Amino acid sequence: MDFDFSAILLALTVLFGVIWGLDRLFFYKSRKAGAEAAGQEEPQDPMPVDWARSLFPVVLVVLVLRSFVAEPFRIPSGSMMPTLDVGDFILVNKFAYGLRMPAFNNKFLALGEPKRGDVVVFRFPGYLCRVDGKLVRSGDQTCADPQAPVPSQNWIKRVIGLPGDRIEMQGDQLLINGQAVTADQVGPYQGNPKRDEDRLMLEMGATVWNEHLRTEEGTVVNHLTARMPAYNRPPPIPSDKVPSVVPQGCYLVMGDNRYNSTDSRWWGCLPEQNLAGKAFLVWLSWKGPDAGWVDFSRMGKVIH
């Protein structure tokens, strides 16, 4: 089930604050006077008021921390393998790209913009479908129902193209502004065949590569990618959904598991307003009973 936890936190904060505030404005004084007349030091708050008074500061602190400092996320799929694994719990810097209103995601303070190579968490914008000659966003990947609502989901991918970048991609060959992105083969993918994600990559003969992605400042982000052409062949760039030049206010994002990632190649560019933050740390890696439960070697890993 999809739900927006930030919206729930915001609603609870407002609810508890309103209950507590209205009680103090209109009811507390008369209740206190009655308690003093009865010889009591403090009046007994009604249960809803007592709960609201106790929980309001708690949910407010959690809301502020999650919205403006750091938020935990869990990796649900293998699209970012081998950089991020299924079951990794990560922390996301919520102020890296500016402060946004909780639940509404409207930016009210600009602090920075994504850089090429950043691993970003974002609200899934929906698949691009063409209706009467216009592109619309839909929750249906096949576009059989272009009006299908887009689910409220958080996704994670790596920024490959910035606004104004010219991107070309055929198979494994990625070009940014006419320059080929180089990569060195590390070797065959090594994994646990008891895990579904690992078994798929092993059966498809996946290989691991060290990709060298040059940022706009000229530095190089070295990160691992996986290739398994036997499994799937993503659409090329440019395509009917992805123009050769990244539009303003948008970013081109891809998963590090290049042949098993539903990313910008499938649904177009990522609108800037959908950004949630920058992933920076793995704080827990839950593998399950078939792989030793917890992978302590990944805990504390900085995300590049």
Side-chain angles (χ1 to χ4, degrees), residues 194-254:
K194 293 183 178 180
R195 299 178 68 234
D196 291 341
E197 299 80 12
D198 288 344
R199 184 166 61 251
L200 171 66
M201 297 180 72
L202 292 170
E203 291 175 352
M204 292 294 128
T207 53
V208 177
W209 296 70
N210 185 18
E211 185 173 85
H212 315 298
L213 191 61
R214 188 169 297 276
T215 69
E216 55 274 30
E217 291 89 1
T219 58
V220 176
V221 177
N222 297 308
H223 63 98
L224 297 179
T225 65
R227 300 179 182 180
M228 47 179 180
Y231 176 67
N232 190 18
R233 191 163 186 85
I237 301 176
S239 69
D240 59 336
K241 293 182 174 62
V242 187
S244 58
V245 177
V246 182
Q248 293 300 312
C250 269
Y251 298 88
L252 193 76
V253 296
M254 294 184 192

Side-chain angles (χ1 to χ4, degrees), residues 61-257:
V61 169
V62 174
L63 176 67
V64 170
L65 290 177
R66 285 178 59 100
S67 301
F68 306 129
V69 182
E71 184 173 2
F73 288 94
R74 179 183 181 276
I75 303 299
S77 73
S79 70
M80 283 296 292
M81 294 171 68
T83 302
L84 295 172
D85 205 352
V86 177
D88 281 352
F89 288 78
I90 65 171
L91 287 178
V92 175
N93 183 338
K94 296 304 293 287
F95 56 85
Y97 307 134
L99 299 182
R100 298 174 184 269
M101 289 296 295
F104 299 98
N105 216 40
N106 294 13
K107 184 188 291 188
F108 63 87
L109 180 62
L111 297 174
E113 300 295 337
K115 297 181 179 180
R116 200 178 296 123
D118 284 0
V119 177
V120 297
V121 170
F122 56 92
R123 293 185 178 187
F124 175 53
Y127 300 100
L128 281 175
C129 300
R130 190 170 295 278
V131 179
D132 297 330
K134 296 181 180 180
L135 289 174
V136 298
R137 294 284 186 178
S138 170
D140 181 6
Q141 184 174 359
T142 68
C143 291
D145 181 10
Q147 305 304 320
V150 177
S152 176
Q153 296 176 339
N154 289 307
W155 288 28
I156 184 167
K157 307 292 178 188
R158 187 179 299 276
V159 175
I160 301 297
L162 304 177
D165 279 348
R166 189 173 77 258
I167 307 294
E168 301 170 70
M169 190 168 192
Q170 291 281 349
D172 298 319
Q173 187 59 62
L174 173 63
L175 286 85
I176 302 177
N177 297 323
Q179 299 294 317
V181 176
T182 60
D184 304 315
Q185 185 169 354
V186 177
Y189 177 77
Q190 304 290 329
N192 185 340
K194 293 183 178 180
R195 299 178 68 234
D196 291 341
E197 299 80 12
D198 288 344
R199 184 166 61 251
L200 171 66
M201 297 180 72
L202 292 170
E203 291 175 352
M204 292 294 128
T207 53
V208 177
W209 296 70
N210 185 18
E211 185 173 85
H212 315 298
L213 191 61
R214 188 169 297 276
T215 69
E216 55 274 30
E217 291 89 1
T219 58
V220 176
V221 177
N222 297 308
H223 63 98
L224 297 179
T225 65
R227 300 179 182 180
M228 47 179 180
Y231 176 67
N232 190 18
R233 191 163 186 85
I237 301 176
S239 69
D240 59 336
K241 293 182 174 62
V242 187
S244 58
V245 177
V246 182
Q248 293 300 312
C250 269
Y251 298 88
L252 193 76
V253 296
M254 294 184 192
D256 287 346
N257 195 349

